[in-house]
Amino acid sequence: QVQLVESGGGLVQAGGSLRLSCAASGSIFRLNAMAWYRQAPGKQRELVALITNSGSTNYVDSVKGRFTISRDNAENTVYLQMNSLKPEDTAVYYCNLRVGSTWYLQDYWGQGTQVTVSS
């Protein structure tokens, strides 16, 4: 049983910063990757940032240079540092943890945290 708890969302003015946290509890075996997704009103959920078990990272083009994903393996926590925020970053942000082998992968999701960027 794995549970993800998110925190750090809120309201910020354009150009400001927020730091999202996602703490995983329970036994985690065969960790594949941890990631942040977001879903804006009327849009599909999209992958924002991902970090693999080896430490490699990937970002959607719209956040490159502004967002940084990182992890604390000892505490099974993943972070998303968001700088130079824009109104278009407004969305519900979801933490994702993927475990398993290449033949069977399982995803766990956080409850979502609202990020609102005002003009």
Side-chain angles (χ1 to χ4, degrees):
Q1 179 66 20
V2 177
Q3 184 178 24
L4 304 179
V5 179
E6 302 178 28
S7 62
L11 175 64
V12 65
Q13 291 186 324
S17 298
L18 285 174
R19 185 176 179 86
L20 305 183
S21 299
C22 176
S25 62
S27 298
I28 302 175
F29 297 96
R30 299 180 300 278
L31 176 64
N32 185 270
M34 300 185 76
W36 289 95
Y37 289 73
R38 68 185 179 188
Q39 187 168 25
K43 297 183 179 180
Q44 296 295 114
R45 186 175 299 186
E46 68 171 347
L47 176 64
V48 179
L50 179 146
I51 183 167
T52 69
N53 59 351
S54 63
S56 298
T57 59
N58 289 99
Y59 302 90
V60 67
D61 286 344
S62 60
V63 308
K64 288 182 178 178
R66 300 188 298 118
F67 290 11
T68 302
I69 187 170
S70 61
R71 68 185 184 190
D72 184 332
N73 290 332
E75 298 186 1
N76 292 318
T77 303
V78 64
Y79 305 93
L80 185 66
Q81 179 67 47
M82 304 184 294
N83 298 324
S84 301
L85 283 163
K86 305 175 180 179
E88 48 264 47
D89 294 319
T90 296
V92 177
Y93 285 71
Y94 297 91
C95 176
N96 168 266
L97 184 150
R98 173 164 285 187
V99 298
S101 65
T102 56
W103 55 270
Y104 181 74
L105 297 173
Q106 189 170 7
D107 287 318
Y108 297 90
W109 294 91
Q111 80 280 7
T113 184
Q114 177 71 47
V115 172
T116 302
V117 184
S118 62
S119 301

